[in-house]
Structure formats: C-alpha cells, structure tokens
Amino acid sequence: MVLSSGGARGLAHVGVIEELENRGYEIAEIAGCSVGALVGGMYAAGKMPEFKDWICNLDRIDVFSLMDFTFSSRGFIKGEKVYNALKNVVNDCQIEDLTVPFSCNAVDYKSGNEVIFREGSLYAAIRASGSIPSVFQPAKHHRHEYIDGGVMNPVPISLISTHENRLLVVVEVNGPDYLFVEPPKKDEKGKSFISVPNWVKDYHRKMTHYFPEEIKKEKSPSMSSLSIITRSFELLQDRFCELLIEKYPVDVTVRISRKQAGTLEFYRAAEMIEIGRQKAKIALDQLENGTD
C-alpha cells in the first residue's frame, strides 16, 4: 500500500485502510510520504485506533494551538509541538520493530537526494518526511536537514520492495478539481459531522427576516503572484503524481481532489476519513467486480 503526501487531505488514508480491513484484505507492506508517512506509520505500529481517536477530536482551536509559529524565514511553523502532543498518545518506536514493513521518504535539500527511512526512530522519519517547505522548518536528523518527500516523490511506489503476488493499492490525495465530491454530512454510523443547536437556527431565521442579506455582486477572480506560483506548483505536482501512477502496475487507485481540504485543515479529520472510505468502496467494488 502506498500513501501520498497532501496535508490534511491525507487523513482520507485512514478511511481507505479501514475499508480494506473491513473487506478482509491484509496490508503486507506500506510506504508513505509526508502525511502518508504519518498515517502509514501509525498503522504499521498498530496504533491506528489511538491515532484516529486523537485526530478526530481536534477542533479548529486545538489545531491552531498545536502550531508553534515562528518568524523564521525557513518556515513559519517549528513543527515540534504537534509531534510532542502525538507522542503522548502513541509512543515512539523503531521502524525495524514495527509489525508491518514500513518505509517513508524525505529530501536532503542540500544534496538534492531523496532519503528513504526503513530503520531508526519512527517519529524522526515522519517529521522529516512531512517538513513542507516554507510551512514547516526543515527537520534536523543526524547532522542533515530534510524537507518534505513530496518535493521529489509524492507517491512513493518505488519504496515498495516487491509487487509480486500482491495487490498494489495507491492512495493519492493531490488529484485534479474534477475529482471533488461534496463533503459528507454523516459518518458511516450515521452520526452528523456538524451539529447546529436549534436556537442558533431559530436566531438566524429571525435575523434573516428582519435584516435580509444583500445580494453581493460577483467579482471576477484574480490571483496574486504568490497564488499563481502556488497554483503552478500544484498543477505540476498533479501531473507528476499521474505519471508516477502510470509508471507502475497499480491494481487499485484511490484519488482525492486537492480541493477537498486545505493543507492544514486537520480539524476536518472525520470528514476526510469518510471521503476516503467512500472513494475506497468505489475503487474496490470495481476491482472485485472486474470493471474499470
């Protein structure tokens, strides 16, 4: 199983893994990049329930409080606070001791080389793999500094040791806009993601009656130079991901639109997990029914 980079969208990986397990599939090996390394590492350590319970109970304020902001030009988030909080839920361990073979990648930005982690501290590897340039400060490890593995290999299929006699499942969460789906309102148990008190609904209805909202004129969208650069990088990465998937004999591909969630919107965990589950159902139904 291969889990791509993609920030908060990568929480969809959890839903895909749960759907695979519900259908009786066994994950023999897992490779991840950035958030894919985080989710894959938690699964390989046998700590997915603890991780899911923690991440699904974070609201906007919680997520904001876990961001240790800094004025450094190397990244506006140090990235240590969130991992320290997670260590209180799931202890660190050695990758070589995990019950499921696991690997993840990062980039040594000074040498320009991709670095693959298959041993050593799990959290050190995850921290290195998820160091999004300009967002998180580079991760320091063994006198090297690493940035997000997604810079060079966002869908790390190349890390999987063998494809023989196994299904190759790839989850890619940096897909194009047309893959966007309306966010689900309820989880698989029928529980609503957002609950609005009746008094709030009543208040809004009354205020709208007495103070009707003005119809705003739509303005033609415009983008700043930074937004254009960001969008250009996204388009390049989208195409790169497609080429990586086309290069290998992938049996099941689950793709999530980049529009589904922002990079740091981790408070939408339950919603993204359910989207991953729904997308996995469609892909696995096609596999089991022999359709494209």
Side-chain angles (χ1 to χ4, degrees), residues 140-160:
K140 296 180 180 180
H141 185 57
H142 292 168
R143 289 183 286 184
H144 292 274
E145 289 191 323
Y146 300 108
I147 58 175
D148 199 300
V151 172
M152 292 186 69
N153 191 3
V155 188
I157 305 174
S158 58
L159 273 59
I160 295 294

Side-chain angles (χ1 to χ4, degrees), residues 142-249:
H142 292 168
R143 289 183 286 184
H144 292 274
E145 289 191 323
Y146 300 108
I147 58 175
D148 199 300
V151 172
M152 292 186 69
N153 191 3
V155 188
I157 305 174
S158 58
L159 273 59
I160 295 294
S161 61
T162 178
H163 306 160
E164 295 181 6
N165 302 319
R166 296 176 180 174
L167 289 174
L168 179 57
V169 180
V170 174
V171 189
E172 195 263 298
V173 298
N174 297 308
D177 293 354
Y178 71 82
L179 293 173
F180 177 83
V181 296
E182 287 299 322
K185 296 181 179 179
K186 298 181 180 180
D187 62 17
E188 81 279 8
K189 297 180 180 179
K191 183 179 178 181
S192 177
F193 291 123
I194 301 176
S195 179
V196 180
N198 289 329
W199 69 266
V200 174
K201 296 178 182 178
D202 186 53
Y203 177 79
H204 181 267
R205 183 171 57 253
K206 291 179 179 178
M207 294 302 293
T208 303
H209 174 74
Y210 290 109
F211 302 98
E213 297 180 359
E214 295 182 3
I215 300 176
K216 298 180 180 179
K217 295 181 180 180
E218 293 187 2
K219 296 181 180 179
S220 57
S222 60
M223 300 178 72
S224 65
S225 58
L226 179 60
S227 296
I228 293 174
I229 292 173
T230 302
R231 180 57 176 163
S232 299
F233 176 77
E234 290 176 352
L235 292 172
L236 285 170
Q237 191 175 56
D238 292 349
R239 182 54 182 153
F240 186 31
C241 290
E242 290 177 357
L243 291 173
L244 286 171
I245 293 173
E246 291 172 2
K247 182 181 177 181
Y248 294 90

Side-chain angles (χ1 to χ4, degrees), residues 49-116:
E50 292 87 344
F51 170 72
K52 180 182 176 182
D53 182 65
W54 177 74
I55 199 76
C56 285
N57 282 289
L58 298 179
D59 57 25
R60 288 174 184 256
I61 296 176
D62 294 327
V63 172
F64 185 82
S65 68
L66 290 173
M67 296 182 185
D68 40 5
F69 294 103
T70 175
F71 290 104
S72 171
S73 59
R74 291 160 55 83
F76 63 85
I77 299 175
K78 293 179 181 179
E80 304 304 325
K81 194 172 182 180
V82 61
Y83 288 108
N84 287 334
L86 184 53
K87 285 178 183 178
N88 291 327
V89 180
V90 177
N91 293 328
D92 194 10
C93 60
Q94 299 298 298
I95 295 175
E96 57 267 33
D97 295 334
L98 298 175
T99 56
V100 176
F102 167 79
S103 59
C104 65
N105 63 344
V107 174
D108 183 330
Y109 72 88
K110 292 182 179 179
S111 68
N113 295 326
E114 179 184 20
V115 178
I116 300 172

